[in-house]
Amino acid sequence: MGLIESVKSALASPSPNGRPDDGSTGAYWCDDCAVRIRDVDLEGEPVCPDCGVAMRFERSTGRDCAC
């Protein structure tokens, strides 16, 4: 494999930490139900779908989760 093919392959690979690079900055959590919804997956207000309580935002700092 040539140099250009190696660079193309490296750039096309998924991120090394396994997380998608979709602009997510964290997730919303329900402390009562332990429900987690990523900020990019949330539609509407951050309310727990199980109990209806407002969820709190936790910022991810380079880890696999926002915990």
Side-chain angles (χ1 to χ4, degrees), residues 1-3 12-13 20-21 23 30 36 42-43 48 55-56 61:
M1 178 183 301
L3 177 62
S13 300
D21 185 20
C30 176
R36 174 182 179 259
L42 184 68
E43 295 178 12
C48 178
M55 301 172 82
R56 66 182 172 90
T61 57

Side-chain angles (χ1 to χ4, degrees), residues 14-17 22 29 38 45 48 54:
S15 64
N17 59 9
D22 56 5
W29 289 85
R38 293 179 64 228
E45 295 296 315
C48 178

Side-chain angles (χ1 to χ4, degrees), residues 26-51:
Y28 289 92
W29 289 85
C30 176
D31 292 319
D32 295 335
C33 301
V35 172
R36 174 182 179 259
I37 302 174
R38 293 179 64 228
D39 59 345
V40 293
D41 296 334
L42 184 68
E43 295 178 12
E45 295 296 315
V47 176
C48 178
D50 291 349
C51 68

Side-chain angles (χ1 to χ4, degrees), residues 13-27 36 38 59-67:
S13 300
S15 64
N17 59 9
R19 295 183 319 182
D21 185 20
D22 56 5
S24 176
T25 58
R36 174 182 179 259
R38 293 179 64 228
R59 184 179 185 125
S60 177
T61 57
R63 299 181 299 201
D64 290 337
C65 67
C67 52

